Amino acid sequence: MAGQRYLHLNLVGNEINNHQGALAYERDHGGGPDRQNAYLPISEMGKASEEGYFTAMFLGDIAGTAGSPAPDGGPPEPITAFAALARETSYLGLIATASCSFYDPYNLARLLASIDQISDGRAGFNAVTSVSDEWAQNYSMEAHLDRITRYKRADEFLDIVTALWEKREVRIDADQIKRFYSEQINHRGDFFQVLGPLNVAPSPQGRPLIAQAGGSGPGIAVAAKHAEMVFTNATTRQQAADYRAELDAALVARGRAAGSVPAIPGLVPYLGKTRAEAEELMRALDENVPYELYAPFALVQFGLDFTFDSIDDPFPLDQIPHPETVKDTIKSTYGNYLGLYNWIAENPGATVRDVTAQSLARGGAQHRKFVGSYDEFVDDLALWHADGQIGGFNLMFPTNVIGVRDFVAEVVPRLIDRGIYRGKPDTRPLRERFAGE
């Protein structure tokens, strides 16, 4: 059908987004990936998601140690991992996260352009700013930049990589020989000085797709200027509509069309043949989490503490700041904090245990958790899709490889039958898949 709008499904492939009980569950129930090395689960998830016609795979970049023992198995950084996965897949988009706070823009432009070549136009750049002072000290910095400065640096960073990518071409000359041409950009800014030109030829899509996770005012401004897809946090359909309106206003202010950049929220599905089966999966995973030990760290990524007597007490919402008061100062991703705060407010009586589960233990950071049957899940996705406020979902599975396999076998056929999901691979370059959707 001409003009048919389909859901985009993207896989977030970092095991740090798993339920915190996933490894023990995998040990007890089997079905996990080959763990001879830390790349193999990424490879298996990528190939499985391509079988399910996923639009793309995200890999987040943890730019320093997130704890020891590491919660993610110590995987390779995303660009290196995708260089391997590009040769193991044919259609799957490969969106690598990289920090504008720590990378050099010329070097990153070369690396991502190379992945774009290797994958024949399937590469993307998820631009983030990072938050940790300890991580900053791995990159010859005394401390991390404040939030406003981080976004100013990111804006300039994206100006540079975009200019480097766009000032090059491959053309056939009069003698019928194909040659690569590129131009200097001669950038002189507040943070960077880059002459250019870039010495890596373009792919069939011209340059990598730019994705971004703009949730606060500065983040949305950067997304409205640069992004072609936005990774958002929305735990309700109303939140998705509110974000869509805010992003569209920023797009129009930048001279871009409303709706031209798809907003794609994160989602963590706990699924089974019945709701009871899905609830049992979550209960089995929860059994492997020491909630009493986890609870004091439920909000640590935001730099926030709270006090409590028992993990079964109601969560003290009055002890943490309203999102509007910390838009420019909150550590980590503002959209995730907003989503969590709203979730607590919308679930009166939520206990400290519940908030620890939502924020930390049950995976996917503070993104929406769905618990139900395969059919209920498809019904839910169909409602969100019909609203027209989102372009799809970034899926984070509680058990990753086990969850991806199950999803491809059980949910993908149901989505295709419902008519809201593509029934064959999307062979277009990655940027074209998201353009105007």
Side-chain angles (χ1 to χ4, degrees):
M1 180 189 301
Q4 175 69 47
R5 184 173 60 88
Y6 295 110
L7 280 171
H8 289 291
L9 295 181
N10 304 317
L11 172 67
V12 181
N14 300 80
E15 293 199 289
I16 199 169
N17 287 308
N18 287 7
H19 191 293
Q20 295 298 299
L23 288 176
Y25 180 90
E26 183 182 299
R27 176 199 65 204
D28 297 339
H29 295 79
D34 183 347
R35 293 191 179 277
Q36 181 177 347
N37 66 59
Y39 168 70
L40 292 176
I42 295 172
S43 172
E44 190 166 344
M45 285 185 289
K47 289 183 284 188
S49 58
E50 180 163 274
E51 291 174 10
Y53 312 136
F54 279 43
T55 302
M57 180 176 183
F58 272 91
L59 281 178
D61 189 18
I62 309 302
T65 302
S68 183
D72 58 359
E77 63 80 35
I79 297 171
T80 306
F82 278 151
L85 190 60
R87 309 312 299 163
E88 297 183 298
T89 55
S90 300
Y91 311 110
L92 185 68
L94 308 170
I95 304 176
T97 302
S99 175
C100 298
S101 299
F102 302 145
Y103 265 101
D104 171 84
Y106 187 89
N107 190 39
L108 186 62
R110 293 183 69 222
L111 293 170
L112 290 168
S114 298
I115 293 295
D116 210 26
Q117 276 190 354
I118 293 167
S119 66
D120 205 29
R122 292 185 282 133
F125 168 29
N126 182 33
V128 300
T129 59
S130 303
V131 295
S132 169
D133 287 341
E134 289 184 357
W135 294 356
Q137 290 166 20
N138 293 329
Y139 298 88
S140 301
M141 300 167 68
E142 289 296 322
H144 209 312
L145 303 171
D146 65 82
R147 190 176 190 84
I148 298 299
T149 306
R150 289 203 310 269
Y151 278 109
K152 288 180 179 178
R153 177 184 165 109
D155 182 32
E156 185 177 331
F157 192 109
L158 288 165
D159 281 340
I160 294 167
V161 296
T162 301
L164 288 167
W165 288 332
E166 292 187 345
K167 287 187 175 294
R168 57 193 180 128
E169 65 175 324
V170 174
R171 63 176 184 248
I172 299 174
D173 290 334
D175 60 4
Q176 301 304 302
I177 294 175
K178 183 184 291 185
R179 293 183 175 89
F180 168 54
Y181 293 84
S182 56
E183 301 174 28
Q184 294 180 351
I185 64 169
N186 195 24
H187 176 89
R188 295 291 181 269
D190 294 334
F191 299 95
F192 305 106
Q193 293 76 48
V194 179
L195 179 62
L198 194 65
N199 62 344
V200 179
S203 77
Q205 72 170 346
R207 62 165 176 79
L209 171 124
I210 295 175
Q212 206 260 343
S216 64
I220 290 175
V222 171
K225 180 178 177 182
H226 298 284
E228 295 159 291
M229 185 263 280
V230 181
F231 192 150
T232 68
N233 187 314
T235 57
T236 67
R237 290 155 62 197
Q238 185 58 53
Q239 287 177 27
D242 292 344
Y243 182 84
R244 178 76 262 168
E246 191 171 2
L247 178 60
D248 280 347
L251 287 167
V252 170
R254 295 292 316 185
R256 302 175 71 184
S260 59
V261 176
I264 303 188
L267 177 58
V268 185
Y270 289 81
L271 304 174
K273 291 184 176 65
T274 63
R275 179 187 292 268
E277 190 174 290
E279 291 171 345
E280 173 57 25
L281 169 64
M282 189 164 66
R283 185 199 62 76
L285 287 160
D286 279 349
E287 284 183 347
N288 296 303
V289 176
Y291 274 95
E292 290 80 3
L293 297 178
Y294 274 51
F297 304 100
L299 303 183
V300 70
Q301 77 175 88
F302 303 113
L304 299 175
D305 296 315
F306 61 97
T307 60
F308 61 96
D309 294 323
S310 166
I311 62 171
D312 295 315
D313 289 343
F315 184 85
L317 187 60
D318 60 338
Q319 290 188 28
I320 63 175
H322 190 279
E324 286 295 326
T325 68
V326 292
K327 261 193 171 184
D328 297 330
T329 58
I330 193 74
K331 288 182 65 177
S332 193
T333 305
Y334 172 77
N336 284 357
Y337 182 65
L338 176 64
L340 178 64
Y341 188 96
N342 287 339
W343 182 87
I344 300 169
E346 291 160 2
N347 288 273
T351 65
V352 172
R353 183 196 298 269
D354 295 333
V355 173
T356 303
Q358 174 70 14
S359 181
L360 183 62
R362 288 179 179 163
Q366 295 74 34
H367 291 282
R368 181 168 74 107
K369 279 73 171 173
F370 180 95
V371 184
S373 71
Y374 304 126
D375 290 326
E376 288 170 335
F377 184 66
V378 171
D379 289 342
D380 179 82
L381 264 57
L383 288 173
W384 286 66
H385 180 64
D387 289 342
Q389 308 296 342
I390 54 114
F393 294 94
N394 295 316
L395 296 175
M396 293 163 272
F397 290 95
T399 53
N400 253 358
V401 170
I402 298 171
V404 176
R405 290 191 196 123
D406 183 60
F407 187 93
V408 170
E410 298 289 349
V411 177
V412 166
R414 288 170 164 85
L415 290 171
I416 294 170
D417 289 345
R418 185 64 69 91
I420 60 174
Y421 189 62
R422 190 177 295 276
K424 61 182 180 180
D426 192 338
T427 61
R428 295 173 294 174
L430 185 61
R431 292 178 64 206
E432 292 183 24
R433 302 179 200 178
F434 288 105
E437 295 191 19

